[in-house]
Protein backbone atom coordinates (compact mmCIF):
# COMPACT_ATOMS: atom_id res chain seq x y z
CA UNK A 1 0.00 0.00 0.00
CA UNK A 2 2.83 2.39 0.81
CA UNK A 3 4.15 1.82 -2.71
CA UNK A 4 1.00 3.30 -4.22
CA UNK A 5 0.68 6.14 -1.68
CA UNK A 6 4.26 7.29 -2.08
CA UNK A 7 4.12 7.08 -5.86
CA UNK A 8 1.05 9.33 -6.03
CA UNK A 9 1.87 11.94 -3.40
CA UNK A 10 4.49 13.76 -5.46
CA UNK A 11 4.71 14.45 -9.12
CA UNK A 12 8.43 15.13 -9.05
CA UNK A 13 9.83 13.28 -6.03
CA UNK A 14 13.31 14.07 -4.86
CA UNK A 15 15.62 13.87 -1.90
CA UNK A 16 16.44 10.93 0.29
CA UNK A 17 13.81 11.16 3.03
CA UNK A 18 12.37 7.79 2.02
CA UNK A 19 15.66 6.05 2.70
CA UNK A 20 16.03 7.74 6.06
CA UNK A 21 12.49 6.73 7.02
CA UNK A 22 13.34 3.17 6.06
CA UNK A 23 16.25 3.15 8.51
CA UNK A 24 14.26 4.75 11.33
CA UNK A 25 11.30 2.43 10.93
CA UNK A 26 13.31 -0.78 10.55
CA UNK A 27 15.77 -0.44 13.45
CA UNK A 28 13.45 -2.24 15.94
CA UNK A 29 13.50 -5.36 13.75
CA UNK A 30 17.27 -5.44 14.17
CA UNK A 31 17.18 -5.39 17.98
CA UNK A 32 14.31 -7.47 19.32
CA UNK A 33 13.97 -11.25 19.16
CA UNK A 34 10.30 -11.68 20.09
CA UNK A 35 8.54 -13.00 16.97
CA UNK A 36 5.46 -10.81 17.37
CA UNK A 37 7.49 -7.65 17.78
CA UNK A 38 9.77 -8.68 14.92
CA UNK A 39 6.76 -9.04 12.61
CA UNK A 40 5.43 -5.65 13.71
CA UNK A 41 8.83 -4.05 13.13
CA UNK A 42 9.06 -5.56 9.67
CA UNK A 43 5.66 -4.04 8.88
CA UNK A 44 7.00 -0.68 10.02
CA UNK A 45 10.07 -1.19 7.85
CA UNK A 46 7.80 -1.78 4.87
CA UNK A 47 6.31 1.69 5.36
CA UNK A 48 9.68 3.18 4.46
CA UNK A 49 10.91 0.60 1.97
CA UNK A 50 7.62 0.36 0.08
CA UNK A 51 7.89 3.95 -1.08
CA UNK A 52 11.43 3.50 -2.34
CA UNK A 53 10.34 0.70 -4.66
CA UNK A 54 8.24 3.04 -6.78
CA UNK A 55 10.03 6.35 -6.15
CA UNK A 56 13.30 5.24 -7.71
CA UNK A 57 11.54 4.50 -10.99
CA UNK A 58 9.36 7.61 -10.83
CA UNK A 59 12.47 9.76 -10.37
CA UNK A 60 14.08 8.26 -13.47
CA UNK A 61 10.92 8.79 -15.52
CA UNK A 62 10.73 12.41 -14.35
CA UNK A 63 14.21 13.38 -15.55
CA UNK A 64 14.93 10.92 -18.40
CA UNK A 65 12.94 10.64 -21.66
CA UNK A 66 11.51 7.17 -22.40
CA UNK A 67 13.66 6.92 -25.54
CA UNK A 68 16.77 7.12 -23.36
CA UNK A 69 15.25 5.44 -20.32
CA UNK A 70 15.81 1.92 -21.62
CA UNK A 71 19.53 1.86 -20.92
CA UNK A 72 19.05 3.39 -17.47
CA UNK A 73 16.28 0.91 -16.68
CA UNK A 74 18.69 -1.81 -17.76
CA UNK A 75 21.28 -0.55 -15.30
CA UNK A 76 18.56 -0.38 -12.66
CA UNK A 77 17.76 -4.03 -13.33
CA UNK A 78 21.46 -4.89 -13.17
CA UNK A 79 21.79 -3.20 -9.78
CA UNK A 80 18.74 -5.12 -8.65
CA UNK A 81 20.44 -8.34 -9.75
CA UNK A 82 23.65 -7.52 -7.89
CA UNK A 83 21.73 -6.61 -4.75
CA UNK A 84 19.60 -9.74 -5.00
CA UNK A 85 22.58 -12.07 -5.21
CA UNK A 86 24.69 -10.10 -2.72
CA UNK A 87 21.92 -10.12 -0.11
CA UNK A 88 21.63 -13.90 0.36
CA UNK A 89 25.39 -14.28 0.06
CA UNK A 90 26.18 -11.68 2.72
CA UNK A 91 23.31 -12.96 4.85
CA UNK A 92 24.69 -16.49 4.64
CA UNK A 93 28.12 -15.30 5.73
CA UNK A 94 26.65 -13.39 8.66
CA UNK A 95 24.53 -16.35 9.79
CA UNK A 96 27.50 -18.72 9.50
CA UNK A 97 29.72 -16.34 11.54
CA UNK A 98 29.18 -17.23 15.20
CA UNK A 99 30.11 -13.82 16.64
CA UNK A 100 27.69 -11.96 14.36
CA UNK A 101 24.48 -13.94 13.87
CA UNK A 102 21.19 -13.35 12.09
CA UNK A 103 20.51 -9.89 13.58
CA UNK A 104 23.32 -8.48 11.46
CA UNK A 105 21.30 -9.42 8.38
CA UNK A 106 19.22 -6.37 9.35
CA UNK A 107 21.99 -4.12 10.64
CA UNK A 108 24.03 -4.49 7.44
CA UNK A 109 21.56 -2.39 5.46
CA UNK A 110 21.74 0.69 7.69
CA UNK A 111 24.95 2.22 6.24
CA UNK A 112 23.67 1.89 2.66
CA UNK A 113 20.41 3.65 3.48
CA UNK A 114 22.17 6.45 5.37
CA UNK A 115 24.32 7.16 2.30
CA UNK A 116 21.25 8.09 0.22
CA UNK A 117 21.78 11.85 0.53
CA UNK A 118 23.15 12.63 -2.93
CA UNK A 119 19.97 13.11 -4.99
CA UNK A 120 18.47 16.61 -5.10
CA UNK A 121 15.48 17.28 -7.34
CA UNK A 122 12.83 20.01 -7.34
CA UNK A 123 9.82 18.87 -5.35
CA UNK A 124 6.22 19.90 -5.93
CA UNK A 125 4.28 19.37 -2.72
CA UNK A 126 0.53 19.31 -2.40
CA UNK A 127 -2.10 18.31 0.12
CA UNK A 128 -2.93 14.61 -0.17
CA UNK A 129 -5.88 12.66 1.15
CA UNK A 130 -4.83 9.14 2.08
CA UNK A 131 -7.37 6.45 1.30
CA UNK A 132 -7.14 4.50 4.53
CA UNK A 133 -10.39 2.61 3.98
CA UNK A 134 -9.44 1.42 0.50
CA UNK A 135 -6.00 0.34 1.71
CA UNK A 136 -7.50 -1.57 4.63
CA UNK A 137 -10.05 -3.37 2.45
CA UNK A 138 -7.44 -4.40 -0.14
CA UNK A 139 -4.95 -5.65 2.46
CA UNK A 140 -7.63 -7.42 4.50
CA UNK A 141 -9.13 -9.09 1.44
CA UNK A 142 -5.80 -10.33 0.11
CA UNK A 143 -4.67 -11.47 3.58
CA UNK A 144 -7.88 -13.45 4.13
CA UNK A 145 -7.37 -15.36 0.89
CA UNK A 146 -3.66 -15.93 1.64
CA UNK A 147 -4.47 -17.26 5.11
CA UNK A 148 -6.94 -19.68 3.55
CA UNK A 149 -4.39 -20.87 0.99
CA UNK A 150 -1.76 -21.38 3.70
CA UNK A 151 -3.89 -23.13 6.32
CA UNK A 152 -6.50 -25.01 4.30
CA UNK A 153 -5.79 -28.73 4.33
CA UNK A 154 -3.46 -28.42 7.35
CA UNK A 155 -5.19 -26.56 10.17
CA UNK A 156 -8.73 -27.21 8.88
CA UNK A 157 -10.46 -29.05 6.06
CA UNK A 158 -10.83 -27.38 2.68
CA UNK A 159 -14.58 -28.00 2.87
CA UNK A 160 -15.27 -26.31 6.23
CA UNK A 161 -16.81 -23.20 7.73
CA UNK A 162 -13.32 -21.68 8.02
CA UNK A 163 -12.91 -22.00 4.27
CA UNK A 164 -16.29 -20.39 3.65
CA UNK A 165 -15.52 -17.54 6.06
CA UNK A 166 -12.05 -16.78 4.71
CA UNK A 167 -12.82 -17.08 0.99
CA UNK A 168 -16.24 -15.42 1.20
CA UNK A 169 -14.94 -12.68 3.47
CA UNK A 170 -11.87 -12.09 1.29
CA UNK A 171 -13.89 -11.78 -1.91
CA UNK A 172 -16.44 -9.50 -0.20
CA UNK A 173 -13.68 -7.23 1.10
CA UNK A 174 -12.08 -6.95 -2.35
CA UNK A 175 -15.44 -6.16 -3.98
CA UNK A 176 -16.02 -3.48 -1.35
CA UNK A 177 -12.54 -2.12 -2.08
CA UNK A 178 -13.45 -1.70 -5.76
CA UNK A 179 -16.52 0.35 -4.83
CA UNK A 180 -14.50 2.49 -2.42
CA UNK A 181 -11.72 3.09 -4.95
CA UNK A 182 -14.32 4.22 -7.51
CA UNK A 183 -15.76 6.82 -5.11
CA UNK A 184 -12.91 8.41 -3.15
CA UNK A 185 -11.07 11.50 -4.41
CA UNK A 186 -7.57 10.00 -4.20
CA UNK A 187 -7.80 6.20 -4.28
CA UNK A 188 -4.89 3.94 -3.44
CA UNK A 189 -5.34 2.26 -6.82
CA UNK A 190 -6.91 4.74 -9.31
CA UNK A 191 -9.31 2.65 -11.37
CA UNK A 192 -9.29 5.22 -14.17
CA UNK A 193 -5.76 4.33 -15.25
CA UNK A 194 -6.96 0.87 -16.26
CA UNK A 195 -8.89 2.40 -19.16
CA UNK A 196 -5.48 2.55 -20.80
CA UNK A 197 -4.87 -0.78 -22.53
CA UNK A 198 -1.11 -0.69 -22.04
CA UNK A 199 -1.42 -0.03 -18.31
CA UNK A 200 -3.93 -2.83 -17.84
CA UNK A 201 -1.87 -5.41 -19.73
CA UNK A 202 1.45 -4.44 -18.13
CA UNK A 203 -0.19 -4.59 -14.69
CA UNK A 204 -1.54 -8.08 -15.39
CA UNK A 205 1.85 -9.17 -16.72
CA UNK A 206 3.63 -7.69 -13.68
CA UNK A 207 1.30 -9.60 -11.36
CA UNK A 208 2.07 -12.89 -13.08
CA UNK A 209 5.80 -12.10 -13.25
CA UNK A 210 5.74 -11.56 -9.49
CA UNK A 211 4.00 -14.88 -8.93
CA UNK A 212 6.39 -16.77 -11.20
CA UNK A 213 9.64 -15.04 -10.25
CA UNK A 214 9.35 -14.41 -6.51
CA UNK A 215 7.09 -17.36 -5.80
CA UNK A 216 9.32 -19.78 -7.68
CA UNK A 217 12.81 -18.57 -6.84
CA UNK A 218 12.32 -17.78 -3.15
CA UNK A 219 12.47 -21.51 -2.41
CA UNK A 220 15.67 -22.15 -4.34
CA UNK A 221 17.85 -21.32 -1.35
CA UNK A 222 15.92 -23.83 0.74
CA UNK A 223 16.39 -26.40 -2.03
CA UNK A 224 20.13 -25.74 -2.09
CA UNK A 225 20.43 -26.17 1.68
CA UNK A 226 18.10 -29.12 2.23
CA UNK A 227 18.09 -31.12 -0.98
CA UNK A 228 21.71 -30.45 -1.97
CA UNK A 229 23.08 -30.17 1.58
CA UNK A 230 24.82 -26.79 1.17
CA UNK A 231 25.53 -24.14 3.81
CA UNK A 232 23.71 -20.76 3.76
CA UNK A 233 26.81 -19.09 2.31
CA UNK A 234 27.19 -21.62 -0.49
CA UNK A 235 23.45 -21.48 -1.15
CA UNK A 236 23.77 -17.74 -1.72
CA UNK A 237 26.60 -18.28 -4.19
CA UNK A 238 24.65 -20.94 -6.08
CA UNK A 239 22.06 -18.36 -7.19
CA UNK A 240 24.75 -16.47 -9.15
CA UNK A 241 23.86 -17.95 -12.58
CA UNK A 242 20.31 -16.60 -12.38
CA UNK A 243 21.42 -13.16 -11.28
CA UNK A 244 24.15 -13.01 -13.93
CA UNK A 245 21.60 -13.86 -16.59
CA UNK A 246 19.30 -11.15 -15.27
CA UNK A 247 22.14 -8.62 -15.14
CA UNK A 248 23.34 -9.26 -18.69
CA UNK A 249 19.94 -9.41 -20.35
CA UNK A 250 18.62 -6.34 -18.53
CA UNK A 251 21.66 -4.24 -19.41
CA UNK A 252 21.98 -5.39 -23.04
CA UNK A 253 18.25 -5.15 -23.78
CA UNK A 254 18.12 -1.67 -22.24
CA UNK A 255 21.00 -0.45 -24.41
CA UNK A 256 19.43 -1.86 -27.59
CA UNK A 257 16.01 -0.38 -26.76
CA UNK A 258 17.54 3.09 -26.32
CA UNK A 259 19.44 2.71 -29.59
CA UNK A 260 16.57 1.39 -31.72
CA UNK A 261 13.42 2.56 -29.99
CA UNK A 262 11.89 -0.93 -30.32
CA UNK A 263 10.81 -2.57 -27.09
CA UNK A 264 7.96 -5.06 -27.52
CA UNK A 265 10.14 -7.77 -29.03
CA UNK A 266 12.17 -7.88 -25.80
CA UNK A 267 9.01 -8.24 -23.72
CA UNK A 268 7.87 -11.16 -25.85
CA UNK A 269 11.29 -12.85 -25.92
CA UNK A 270 11.68 -12.27 -22.19
CA UNK A 271 8.30 -13.82 -21.39
CA UNK A 272 9.03 -16.82 -23.63
CA UNK A 273 12.47 -17.30 -22.05
CA UNK A 274 11.11 -16.97 -18.50
CA UNK A 275 8.44 -19.58 -19.25
CA UNK A 276 11.06 -21.91 -20.72
CA UNK A 277 13.35 -21.40 -17.71
CA UNK A 278 10.59 -22.27 -15.25
CA UNK A 279 9.67 -25.32 -17.30
CA UNK A 280 13.28 -26.48 -17.29
CA UNK A 281 13.56 -25.93 -13.53
CA UNK A 282 10.51 -28.15 -13.06
CA UNK A 283 12.71 -31.11 -14.04
CA UNK A 284 15.29 -30.73 -11.26
CA UNK A 285 15.80 -33.16 -8.39
CA UNK A 286 18.18 -33.95 -5.56
CA UNK A 287 20.68 -35.46 -8.02
CA UNK A 288 20.61 -32.74 -10.70
CA UNK A 289 24.18 -31.67 -11.68
CA UNK A 290 24.92 -28.09 -10.72
CA UNK A 291 26.12 -27.27 -14.26
CA UNK A 292 22.69 -28.19 -15.65
CA UNK A 293 20.94 -26.39 -12.80
CA UNK A 294 23.04 -23.29 -13.51
CA UNK A 295 21.96 -23.34 -17.15
CA UNK A 296 18.30 -23.54 -16.19
CA UNK A 297 18.68 -20.69 -13.69
CA UNK A 298 20.50 -18.54 -16.26
CA UNK A 299 17.67 -19.04 -18.77
CA UNK A 300 15.19 -17.97 -16.11
CA UNK A 301 17.28 -14.91 -15.25
CA UNK A 302 17.64 -13.84 -18.88
CA UNK A 303 13.86 -13.90 -19.29
CA UNK A 304 13.17 -11.93 -16.13
CA UNK A 305 15.85 -9.37 -17.03
CA UNK A 306 14.27 -8.58 -20.41
CA UNK A 307 10.75 -8.47 -19.01
CA UNK A 308 10.60 -6.88 -15.58
CA UNK A 309 11.92 -3.32 -16.11
CA UNK A 310 10.66 -2.98 -19.67
CA UNK A 311 7.07 -3.52 -18.54
CA UNK A 312 7.43 -0.35 -16.48
CA UNK A 313 9.00 1.46 -19.45
CA UNK A 314 6.09 0.52 -21.73
CA UNK A 315 3.51 1.78 -19.23
CA UNK A 316 5.35 5.02 -18.43
CA UNK A 317 5.67 5.80 -22.13
CA UNK A 318 1.92 5.58 -22.72
CA UNK A 319 0.44 7.73 -19.95
CA UNK A 320 0.30 11.48 -19.27
CA UNK A 321 3.13 12.80 -17.13
CA UNK A 322 0.74 13.59 -14.29
CA UNK A 323 -0.05 9.86 -14.00
CA UNK A 324 3.55 8.60 -13.97
CA UNK A 325 3.64 8.21 -10.21
CA UNK A 326 0.29 6.42 -10.01
CA UNK A 327 1.05 4.03 -12.87
CA UNK A 328 4.57 3.18 -11.70
CA UNK A 329 3.43 2.56 -8.13
CA UNK A 330 0.51 0.39 -9.27
CA UNK A 331 2.83 -1.79 -11.36
CA UNK A 332 5.27 -2.14 -8.46
CA UNK A 333 2.43 -2.90 -6.07
CA UNK A 334 0.93 -5.63 -8.25
CA UNK A 335 4.35 -7.19 -8.88
CA UNK A 336 4.97 -7.27 -5.12
CA UNK A 337 1.47 -8.61 -4.49
CA UNK A 338 2.07 -11.31 -7.08
CA UNK A 339 5.25 -12.26 -5.25
CA UNK A 340 3.36 -12.43 -1.95
CA UNK A 341 0.59 -14.54 -3.45
CA UNK A 342 3.09 -16.80 -5.20
CA UNK A 343 5.17 -17.28 -2.07
CA UNK A 344 2.12 -18.16 0.03
CA UNK A 345 0.51 -20.47 -2.52
CA UNK A 346 3.71 -22.23 -3.52
CA UNK A 347 4.84 -22.42 0.10
CA UNK A 348 1.65 -24.30 0.97
CA UNK A 349 2.20 -26.61 -2.02
CA UNK A 350 5.80 -27.21 -0.92
CA UNK A 351 4.78 -28.13 2.63
CA UNK A 352 2.05 -30.51 1.50
CA UNK A 353 4.19 -32.11 -1.21
CA UNK A 354 7.16 -32.63 1.12
CA UNK A 355 4.90 -34.13 3.78
CA UNK A 356 3.20 -36.54 1.37
CA UNK A 357 6.47 -37.53 -0.34
CA UNK A 358 8.24 -38.16 2.96
CA UNK A 359 5.33 -40.14 4.34
CA UNK A 360 5.26 -42.35 1.25
CA UNK A 361 9.03 -42.86 1.25
CA UNK A 362 9.26 -43.51 4.99
CA UNK A 363 6.40 -46.00 4.89
CA UNK A 364 8.03 -47.73 1.95
CA UNK A 365 11.30 -48.03 3.84
CA UNK A 366 9.60 -49.22 7.02
CA UNK A 367 10.82 -46.20 9.05
CA UNK A 368 8.70 -44.09 11.36
CA UNK A 369 6.85 -41.36 9.50
CA UNK A 370 7.34 -38.80 12.23
CA UNK A 371 11.09 -38.72 12.01
CA UNK A 372 11.57 -35.15 10.87
CA UNK A 373 10.09 -31.71 11.00
CA UNK A 374 9.75 -31.55 7.25
CA UNK A 375 6.70 -33.76 7.36
CA UNK A 376 4.92 -30.94 9.17
CA UNK A 377 6.11 -28.16 6.88
CA UNK A 378 9.25 -27.22 8.78
CA UNK A 379 12.85 -27.27 7.58
CA UNK A 380 14.64 -30.26 9.13
CA UNK A 381 18.05 -30.20 10.74
CA UNK A 382 19.86 -32.32 8.17
CA UNK A 383 22.90 -32.89 10.39
CA UNK A 384 20.72 -34.58 13.04
CA UNK A 385 19.19 -37.11 10.64
CA UNK A 386 20.62 -40.59 10.02
CA UNK A 387 21.77 -41.34 6.48
CA UNK A 388 18.64 -43.21 5.28
CA UNK A 389 16.24 -40.52 6.48
CA UNK A 390 18.49 -37.73 5.18
CA UNK A 391 18.34 -39.25 1.71
CA UNK A 392 14.55 -39.41 1.94
CA UNK A 393 14.31 -35.75 3.01
CA UNK A 394 16.67 -34.64 0.24
CA UNK A 395 14.62 -36.51 -2.34
CA UNK A 396 11.35 -35.10 -0.99
CA UNK A 397 12.56 -31.51 -1.20
CA UNK A 398 13.92 -32.07 -4.69
CA UNK A 399 10.59 -33.44 -5.92
CA UNK A 400 8.60 -30.70 -4.16
CA UNK A 401 10.79 -27.88 -5.48
CA UNK A 402 10.46 -29.16 -9.04
CA UNK A 403 6.69 -29.21 -8.60
CA UNK A 404 6.77 -25.57 -7.47
CA UNK A 405 8.36 -24.50 -10.75
CA UNK A 406 5.87 -26.62 -12.67
CA UNK A 407 3.01 -24.81 -10.91
CA UNK A 408 4.67 -21.42 -11.54
CA UNK A 409 5.09 -22.08 -15.29
CA UNK A 410 1.43 -21.39 -16.25
CA UNK A 411 1.65 -17.98 -14.57
CA UNK A 412 4.63 -17.12 -16.75
CA UNK A 413 2.61 -18.29 -19.76
CA UNK A 414 -0.23 -15.94 -18.76
CA UNK A 415 2.30 -13.11 -18.57
CA UNK A 416 3.36 -13.98 -22.13
CA UNK A 417 -0.25 -13.83 -23.32
CA UNK A 418 -0.71 -10.40 -21.71
CA UNK A 419 2.51 -9.13 -23.32
CA UNK A 420 1.43 -10.31 -26.77
CA UNK A 421 -1.61 -8.01 -26.65
CA UNK A 422 0.39 -4.89 -25.72
CA UNK A 423 0.51 -2.43 -28.62
CA UNK A 424 3.98 -1.10 -29.35
CA UNK A 425 4.15 2.70 -29.54
CA UNK A 426 7.13 4.96 -30.31
CA UNK A 427 9.12 5.97 -27.26
CA UNK A 428 8.70 9.62 -26.33
CA UNK A 429 11.72 11.91 -26.51
CA UNK A 430 10.80 14.28 -23.67
CA UNK A 431 11.20 13.67 -19.94
CA UNK A 432 8.36 13.49 -17.47
CA UNK A 433 8.99 17.04 -16.24
CA UNK A 434 9.00 18.38 -19.81
CA UNK A 435 5.86 16.47 -20.70
CA UNK A 436 4.11 17.75 -17.58
CA UNK A 437 4.89 21.35 -18.55
CA UNK A 438 3.67 20.76 -22.12
CA UNK A 439 0.48 19.05 -20.95
CA UNK A 440 -0.24 21.86 -18.49
CA UNK A 441 0.26 24.45 -21.22
CA UNK A 442 -1.90 22.51 -23.68
CA UNK A 443 -4.66 22.20 -21.12
CA UNK A 444 -4.57 25.87 -20.16
CA UNK A 445 -4.34 27.15 -23.77
CA UNK A 446 -7.44 25.57 -25.32
CA UNK A 447 -9.39 26.12 -22.11
CA UNK A 448 -9.06 29.89 -22.53
CA UNK A 449 -10.51 29.62 -26.04
CA UNK A 450 -13.46 27.56 -24.88
CA UNK A 451 -12.12 24.48 -26.66
CA UNK A 452 -11.94 21.26 -24.73
CA UNK A 453 -8.55 19.51 -25.10
CA UNK A 454 -8.50 16.11 -26.74
CA UNK A 455 -7.38 13.26 -24.46
CA UNK A 456 -6.07 10.05 -25.96
CA UNK A 457 -7.45 7.28 -23.73
CA UNK A 458 -5.62 4.63 -25.76
CA UNK A 459 -7.11 1.94 -27.91
Amino acid sequence: MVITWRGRRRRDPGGSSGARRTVALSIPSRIFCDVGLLIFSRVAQGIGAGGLTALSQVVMAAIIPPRRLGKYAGVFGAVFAVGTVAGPLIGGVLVDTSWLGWRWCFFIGVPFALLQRTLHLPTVRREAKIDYLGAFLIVAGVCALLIWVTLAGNEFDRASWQTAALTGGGVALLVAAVFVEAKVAEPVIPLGIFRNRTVTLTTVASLFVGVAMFGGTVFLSQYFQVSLGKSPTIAGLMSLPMMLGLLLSSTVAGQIISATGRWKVYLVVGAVTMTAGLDLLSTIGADTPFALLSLYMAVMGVGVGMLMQNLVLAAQNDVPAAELGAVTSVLSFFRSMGGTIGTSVLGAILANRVASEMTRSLEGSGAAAGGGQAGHGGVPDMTALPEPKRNIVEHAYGVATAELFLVATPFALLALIAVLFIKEKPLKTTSGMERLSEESADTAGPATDGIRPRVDADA
Side-chain angles (χ1 to χ4, degrees), residues 168 183 202 337 354:
K183 298 294 184 182
T202 53
M337 187 172 69
V354 166

mmCIF file of all heavy atoms in Angstrom, residues 168 183 202 337 354:
data_model
loop_
_atom_site.group_PDB
_atom_site.id
_atom_site.type_symbol
_atom_site.label_atom_id
_atom_site.label_comp_id
_atom_site.label_asym_id
_atom_site.label_seq_id
_atom_site.Cartn_x
_atom_site.Cartn_y
_atom_site.Cartn_z
ATOM 1 N N GLY A 168 -15.108 -16.346 1.385
ATOM 2 C CA GLY A 168 -16.238 -15.423 1.202
ATOM 3 C C GLY A 168 -15.924 -14.034 1.724
ATOM 4 O O GLY A 168 -16.217 -13.026 1.072
ATOM 5 N N LYS A 183 -15.058 5.665 -5.661
ATOM 6 C CA LYS A 183 -15.758 6.820 -5.110
ATOM 7 C C LYS A 183 -14.840 7.880 -4.508
ATOM 8 O O LYS A 183 -15.134 9.073 -4.587
ATOM 9 C CB LYS A 183 -16.745 6.344 -4.032
ATOM 10 C CG LYS A 183 -17.839 5.408 -4.544
ATOM 11 C CD LYS A 183 -18.789 6.109 -5.499
ATOM 12 C CE LYS A 183 -19.937 5.183 -5.923
ATOM 13 N NZ LYS A 183 -20.843 5.854 -6.881
ATOM 14 N N THR A 202 0.177 -4.392 -18.849
ATOM 15 C CA THR A 202 1.450 -4.441 -18.130
ATOM 16 C C THR A 202 1.236 -4.738 -16.648
ATOM 17 O O THR A 202 2.073 -5.400 -16.018
ATOM 18 C CB THR A 202 2.229 -3.127 -18.280
ATOM 19 O OG1 THR A 202 1.391 -2.014 -17.910
ATOM 20 C CG2 THR A 202 2.717 -2.932 -19.705
ATOM 21 N N MET A 337 2.591 -7.790 -4.925
ATOM 22 C CA MET A 337 1.466 -8.609 -4.490
ATOM 23 C C MET A 337 1.509 -9.983 -5.148
ATOM 24 O O MET A 337 1.210 -10.999 -4.520
ATOM 25 C CB MET A 337 0.140 -7.919 -4.805
ATOM 26 C CG MET A 337 -1.066 -8.640 -4.220
ATOM 27 S SD MET A 337 -2.607 -7.719 -4.385
ATOM 28 C CE MET A 337 -2.850 -7.793 -6.161
ATOM 29 N N VAL A 354 6.077 -32.032 0.328
ATOM 30 C CA VAL A 354 7.159 -32.631 1.116
ATOM 31 C C VAL A 354 6.589 -33.630 2.116
ATOM 32 O O VAL A 354 7.115 -34.742 2.290
ATOM 33 C CB VAL A 354 7.970 -31.534 1.837
ATOM 34 C CG1 VAL A 354 8.868 -32.151 2.907
ATOM 35 C CG2 VAL A 354 8.810 -30.748 0.854
#
